[in-house]
Amino acid sequence: MNMIKIVAPDFDLEKTLDSGQVFHWKKTNKGFFGTIGQLAVRVEQSGNSLKVRCGPIPLSTSKRHALPGVVARYFALDHPLAAICASFPDDPVINAARESCRGLRIIRQPKWECLATFICSSMKQVAHIGQISQKLRERFGEQRKIRLRHALHETYDGSSGRLLNVNKSRRSQLDYAVYTFPPADRIASLRERALRGCALGYRAKNLLATARIVASGEAKLEDWSALCDADLRSKLCELPGVGAKVANCVMLFAYERLRAFPIDVWIERTLKEKYFPHARHLSALRLQTFAEKYFGEHGGYAQQYLFHHARTNHGRSVRCTDRAAALRRPYPGMTKSHG
DNA sequence: ATCCAGGTTGCCA
DNA sequence: TGGCAACATGGA
């Protein structure tokens, strides 16, 4: 039985998976379905414990015992969250974010999967990125099935060990299909047209070009773990479709560089509104420099908390009953335009 | 319909 | 350096 229980204090599964750092987890009433690398996984949280079921393990039985470790590592349960949060600066803005994002962890994603997904993320809403990821996976990844419900809900014939009253077609309805992310060489083998078919738009060219560089061995993503932050960033930025923001996301979400501080439109808006309300022109570089210095060694965590806090609509300076209108406003909460 | 989205790139002064 | 437009797509 590929079912385990993991003690996970100081962890909020839903916030973690729904904070825009990873895009392929599907929420159902029975928990989250997704993949961790090649492994199909279903995760449910109740209180401090995680119930994890995985699909068929295409590995030796000795590796089976590694499952708890794989899951705990993916969700970064070893991060000292209290200490990390305590290292944030003390101001009303980050304090509010820290309060509302309790248990949110920066997970450890597979490098290629993270890089490829964020190349697809430019000028896309979080929901769209999820759609693109899903299409890439369905069309070019591998399908893995995982039991939708626990077997105890079904009727067993104790002598044969078989399910009763469940024919084959019905049994298949009990399975949930998830898809692994296609490896770089698979993407590299495609035509740009095939990628555009996954709604990538102009990003298709970048993803394809980067996939070919990775697949050729010219860019060794795993080896780059040994580089210092600055060198890693410049290596990532050499890849087509990767600029400062995407590089910082990949550093943070796949290379454990907790200092990396991605600045997207949401974070830029938040920083300007909350920390520089009167500044007229603040260059991207100055904002980046400020953020890295001010938020410190776990700036990436602070950034993720600010991002999620802002996006979940708690961070608005003015209560707004019309969420859509609030989202439409360039600087939510502001009534006067700042020229 | 119009605006915006976890940006990057090339070109301009 | 810093501003600016082009680049595709879909949801609100």
Side-chain angles (χ1 to χ4, degrees):
Chain A
M1 182 85 66
N2 303 325
M3 173 78 95
I4 58 170
K5 199 172 236 187
I6 297 178
V7 178
D10 226 352
F11 179 58
D12 188 316
L13 179 67
E14 181 161 13
K15 282 196 182 78
T16 297
L17 294 183
D18 194 31
S19 63
Q21 58 177 316
V22 66
F23 305 93
H24 71 283
W25 290 89
K26 308 292 182 193
K27 183 178 165 59
T28 75
N29 56 351
K30 289 301 285 181
F32 287 89
F33 290 77
T35 58
I36 297 177
Q38 296 301 299
L39 204 61
V41 175
R42 185 188 75 204
V43 195
E44 282 175 73
Q45 178 169 39
S46 51
N48 274 356
S49 81
L50 250 37
K51 263 197 295 185
V52 181
R53 174 185 251 284
C54 70
I57 301 183
L59 303 169
S60 65
T61 48
S62 65
K63 292 251 184 160
R64 188 167 298 229
H65 303 301
L67 178 59
V70 167
V71 173
R73 176 171 174 74
Y74 182 77
F75 289 122
L77 299 181
D78 56 310
H79 281 174
L81 203 56
I84 288 170
C85 290
S87 77
F88 296 168
D90 179 11
D91 73 58
V93 178
I94 190 67
N95 288 350
R98 173 172 36 210
E99 187 64 31
S100 75
C101 296
R102 263 192 198 154
L104 196 170
R105 287 171 185 268
I106 303 288
I107 69 176
R108 293 189 181 92
Q109 297 182 41
K111 294 175 175 57
W112 162 248
E113 180 177 320
C114 181
L115 170 63
T117 305
F118 275 97
I119 285 175
C120 301
S121 76
S122 79
M123 291 300 292
K124 276 287 175 197
Q125 293 182 349
V126 169
H128 296 163
I129 303 168
Q131 289 170 18
I132 290 172
S133 165
Q134 180 68 14
K135 278 186 184 155
L136 287 173
R137 287 165 181 273
E138 281 175 6
R139 297 189 186 182
F140 310 118
E142 291 178 15
Q143 187 185 75
R144 300 264 193 275
K145 288 192 171 175
I146 182 164
R147 189 64 56 81
L148 190 51
R149 278 181 243 159
H150 196 280
L152 286 179
H153 295 305
E154 298 152 23
T155 308
Y156 270 105
D157 177 342
S159 57
S160 69
R162 306 218 164 185
L163 291 169
L164 293 179
N165 304 324
V166 180
N167 61 32
K168 245 188 171 170
S169 66
R170 174 122 171 69
R171 279 207 58 166
S172 69
Q173 292 174 6
L174 300 177
D175 285 333
Y176 192 97
V178 296
Y179 300 83
T180 61
F181 194 85
D185 58 354
R186 176 68 175 123
I187 302 260
S189 73
L190 300 171
R191 304 294 196 138
E192 185 181 325
R193 169 175 223 81
L195 291 176
R196 286 196 178 244
C198 297
L200 267 76
Y202 65 87
R203 303 157 195 83
K205 190 189 296 279
N206 291 330
L207 180 60
L208 183 56
T210 292
R212 289 184 171 159
I213 292 170
V214 171
S216 74
E218 186 185 337
K220 301 187 191 307
L221 299 186
E222 296 301 327
D223 291 359
W224 290 359
S225 293
L227 299 176
C228 68
D229 285 3
D231 289 348
L232 174 58
R233 185 175 291 109
S234 62
K235 278 295 188 187
L236 287 167
C237 285
E238 286 174 12
L239 298 170
V242 180
K245 191 271 172 183
V246 169
N248 278 322
C249 283
V250 176
M251 289 174 68
L252 180 59
F253 302 136
Y255 284 88
E256 303 180 64
R257 307 304 168 103
L258 301 186
R259 192 184 275 279
F261 197 103
I263 297 182
D264 73 315
V265 291
W266 285 90
I267 291 296
E268 179 180 351
R269 192 181 291 157
T270 300
L271 292 181
K272 284 183 176 172
E273 181 189 344
K274 307 288 189 181
Y275 293 97
F276 302 95
H278 303 301
R280 293 215 158 241
H281 269 62
L282 211 48
S283 75
L285 180 59
R286 283 187 64 82
L287 209 55
Q288 186 80 53
T289 305
F290 157 77
E292 286 172 4
K293 186 173 215 176
Y294 183 71
F295 293 101
E297 63 171 333
H298 302 113
Y301 254 98
Q303 174 278 153
Q304 194 63 13
Y305 280 34
L306 290 171
F307 178 79
H308 191 243
H309 185 56
R311 252 176 46 82
T312 48
N313 205 20
H314 296 303
R316 306 188 181 270
S317 48
V318 171
R319 191 180 298 263
C320 189
T321 52
D322 182 355
R323 183 177 149 76
L327 287 170
R328 234 174 284 127
R329 206 165 296 145
Y331 288 79
M334 283 190 172
T335 48
K336 287 182 184 175
S337 63
H338 268 231

